[in-house]
Amino acid sequence: MSNSAETTPKRPLRVAIVGAGPAGVYAADILTKSNEVKDGDFEVSIDLFEAYPAPYGLIRYGVAPDHPRIKGIVNALHKVLDRGDIRFLGNVTYGRDLKLHDFRAFYDAVIFSTGAIKDADLNVPGVELEGSFGGADFVSWYDGHPDVPREWPLDAKEIAVIGNGNVALDVARMLVKHADELLSTEIPDNVYRALKKSPVTDVHVFGRRGPAQVKFTPLELRELSHARDVDIVLYPEDFEFDEASEEAIRTNNQTKTMVNTMTNWLVEEHAEAEVPSSRRLHLHFLHSPVEIYDAAGNMAGTGKVAGIKFERMQLDGTGHVKGTGEYIDYPVQAVYRAIGYHGSPLEELEYDARAGVIPNEGGRVLDADGNPVPGIYATGWIKRGPVGLIGHTKGDALETIGCLLEDRLTLPPAQNPDPHAIIALLEERGVEYTTWEGWNRLDAHEAALGKAWTESEADTGVVRERIKVVPREEMIRISRSAED
């Protein structure tokens, strides 16, 4: 018999998943429901680790709070973790609290699902000026991420958002929307207060290609029109379509829907309303950023953003663009780059810095020579890059779990597979880990905060289902407190 986890067939296969966002939860769920487990070929014991005290990853800290469909995803993830067959261990950071050799000692296999949380770089002069921000950082702030500052500089009247994906639209919508409209969400109080004071009047979203090449979805686009006292402004010169664009409109229903929505807005001329709105959301296409500059025209130093220059682009017949040599300046006091996310390296694992992923084949993590590392896997954005919607991670996890199942007879066995051993190690190291029961306490606490606010502000008619707790130490205290 091989020297593998199967040498002691009566014990469950011990699997650690690092990252409790959708990718990690889906992987755990798929593994527990696999035919091999259901048919009794073997048992599995899964521990789901998370760097934050609370689960859900991207859902809690990477999606705008006013997305109603997110609640459905949270409910689905909750049902998986609430079954009791997957153990959640939060507030445990890979590389600090536990290292790779620790996981090797206690688990037969490790799946990394750490996602991608950094902003992709925008390589234009002036990007380091004061008032130039990463969209991912802003998302972390308004979502109450425990490790970012509580304050955010919202002093700009005119703002540029660079990007044509869903994150760019989220950022723009959160900047232009009136704060009172967000009270019915789980928005933290510090975020509400800051947005309430924002003097913004105009938010400009810039895309490098045309309306038929945008990366956002119809639902994200339509949500823009739901904001109260906000006009959507489009520009006729941006609505020129080349052969590839026309083909995409004819053959892709999603593209057709979005282009039709925007052209309808253009025809309706929202600006002709009897009472113009106090804020405007501008959608620009065929604009490529060239430089960001301060009031003196400098692109370096300690100055503050005063404007941004774009080159006007034109479609080349294939859906791609080329420069026209025409340049346009926009006076803005802040710039948000939302051109995508980028993964972060993980200690002791190979890393593709260009793609922002862990090198892998079908989810099997590779070493420096391109060979699979026994027992180490990846899934989600750290596996394939930050592309696709949340639902796509299910298929991604299915592939990774398929590889793990194929390998299960040759996995390097854990030295100490006792489920209590990892808990003892965390306690020995003084790690204030949180549990699923602790999350339920925090969940109930946030719901109670919302109920208390609703009762105290009954005259407003606003119902707050919950208010997110932001400070990490407070999250830990509530999660680890004894039940009443």
Side-chain angles (χ1 to χ4, degrees):
M1 186 176 290
S2 63
N3 181 25
S4 71
E6 288 289 302
T7 56
T8 53
K10 292 185 179 180
R11 76 163 173 86
L13 187 77
R14 292 281 287 146
V15 178
I17 299 178
V18 182
V25 177
Y26 290 150
D29 188 41
I30 290 169
L31 181 54
T32 60
K33 293 179 179 177
S34 65
N35 290 332
E36 291 83 349
V37 172
K38 288 192 300 182
D39 293 344
D41 291 356
F42 72 100
E43 294 181 9
V44 66
S45 171
I46 302 174
D47 285 343
L48 184 62
F49 291 87
E50 173 56 57
Y52 309 130
Y56 306 144
L58 174 70
I59 298 297
R60 184 171 170 93
Y61 294 122
V63 179
D66 59 346
H67 281 319
R69 73 182 187 279
I70 295 306
K71 181 181 292 187
I73 298 175
V74 168
N75 290 341
L77 299 180
H78 180 95
K79 287 179 181 178
V80 172
L81 296 180
D82 204 43
R83 293 195 311 246
D85 57 349
I86 300 164
R87 185 167 62 174
F88 171 75
L89 295 170
N91 200 43
V92 181
T93 299
Y94 173 78
R96 184 190 68 191
D97 300 321
L98 294 176
K99 297 185 181 292
L100 187 59
H101 69 266
D102 295 316
F103 285 102
R104 289 283 205 187
F106 296 103
Y107 299 93
D108 306 306
V110 186
I111 303 172
F112 288 91
S113 57
T114 51
I117 60 173
K118 288 186 176 181
D119 282 289
D121 291 334
L122 176 65
N123 295 315
V124 301
V127 75
E128 300 298 332
L129 289 174
E130 181 185 349
S132 174
F133 306 106
D137 292 335
F138 183 57
V139 171
S140 292
W141 173 76
Y142 68 59
D143 272 334
H145 193 294
D147 300 330
V148 303
R150 302 287 183 269
E151 306 302 322
W152 190 271
L154 290 168
D155 53 4
K157 289 186 176 181
E158 299 159 303
I159 300 171
V161 177
I162 301 173
N164 255 179
N166 285 340
V167 175
L169 292 193
D170 279 354
V171 167
R173 194 178 65 255
M174 289 295 291
L175 286 166
V176 79
K177 203 169 188 176
H178 290 277
D180 286 350
E181 287 194 79
L182 296 166
L183 279 174
S184 60
T185 74
E186 62 181 17
I187 185 173
D189 283 336
N190 66 299
V191 176
Y192 167 73
R193 290 193 298 270
L195 290 172
K196 180 76 171 175
K197 297 176 182 177
S198 172
V200 66
T201 59
D202 294 83
V203 174
H204 299 262
V205 181
F206 294 95
R208 188 171 181 271
R209 296 201 286 170
Q213 287 80 40
V214 295
K215 297 298 184 183
F216 41 75
T217 56
L219 180 60
E220 296 277 351
L221 182 64
R222 286 194 295 268
E223 284 180 356
L224 295 182
S225 64
H226 297 161
R228 179 183 55 82
D229 191 33
V230 176
D231 283 336
I232 299 175
V233 184
L234 299 105
Y235 298 85
E237 61 270 24
D238 291 343
F239 285 79
E240 296 181 3
F241 303 100
D242 63 357
E243 294 88 340
S245 300
E246 297 285 2
E247 177 67 13
I249 294 169
R250 282 194 304 270
T251 60
N252 187 300
N253 286 333
Q254 179 166 298
T255 299
K256 180 179 179 180
T257 298
M258 290 190 292
V259 170
N260 285 345
T261 297
M262 289 185 285
T263 51
N264 286 340
W265 287 348
L266 184 65
V267 171
E268 289 170 8
E269 292 291 341
H270 288 233
E272 292 183 0
E274 292 183 10
V275 180
S277 299
S278 66
R279 294 178 176 180
R280 289 160 295 280
L281 178 59
H282 307 254
L283 298 180
H284 303 269
F285 303 99
L286 300 172
H287 281 65
S288 181
V290 175
E291 62 187 35
I292 304 167
Y293 50 86
D294 63 15
N298 297 320
M299 292 163 280
T302 58
K304 189 172 183 179
V305 170
I308 182 169
K309 182 189 294 291
F310 290 89
E311 181 178 10
R312 183 76 185 172
M313 310 302 285
Q314 64 182 15
L315 292 161
D316 66 0
T318 68
H320 296 283
V321 292
K322 58 185 179 181
T324 65
E326 175 189 352
Y327 296 91
I328 310 170
D329 287 87
Y330 293 86
V332 295
Q333 300 82 51
V335 174
Y336 289 74
R337 55 192 183 276
I339 57 173
Y341 286 99
H342 202 73
S344 302
L346 294 169
E347 188 175 295
E348 298 183 74
L349 297 177
E350 290 300 311
Y351 177 67
D352 182 341
R354 187 170 180 273
V357 299
I358 300 172
N360 68 92
E361 285 184 358
R364 293 183 177 97
V365 171
L366 305 178
D367 62 19
D369 296 322
N371 301 312
V373 181
I376 306 297
Y377 302 87
T379 191
W381 281 2
I382 198 63
K383 168 189 173 184
R384 60 185 166 85
V387 293
L389 302 176
I390 291 171
H392 291 127
T393 57
K394 286 186 178 180
D396 197 45
L398 188 63
E399 179 185 52
T400 294
I401 295 303
C403 290
L404 189 154
L405 291 172
E406 289 177 8
D407 300 341
R408 72 182 187 279
L409 298 179
T410 57
L411 293 172
Q415 300 163 23
N416 188 348
D418 183 350
H420 299 293
I422 190 67
I423 300 298
L425 180 64
L426 292 172
E427 291 177 346
E428 178 186 321
R429 292 180 177 176
V431 179
E432 293 184 297
Y433 65 89
T434 59
T435 63
W436 181 246
E437 294 75 22
W439 160 248
N440 284 328
R441 285 192 284 273
L442 179 58
D443 188 27
H445 179 80
E446 292 185 343
L449 291 177
K451 181 179 179 181
W453 188 97
T454 300
E455 292 174 349
S456 66
E457 304 290 337
D459 58 324
T460 67
V462 176
V463 176
R464 301 194 72 179
E465 291 189 8
R466 65 190 299 120
I467 298 175
K468 190 180 288 183
V469 174
V470 178
R472 180 182 283 264
E473 58 276 11
E474 183 73 357
M475 295 173 67
I476 296 169
R477 183 190 65 78
I478 296 166
S479 298
R480 290 173 61 87
S481 63
E483 293 193 43
D484 296 334

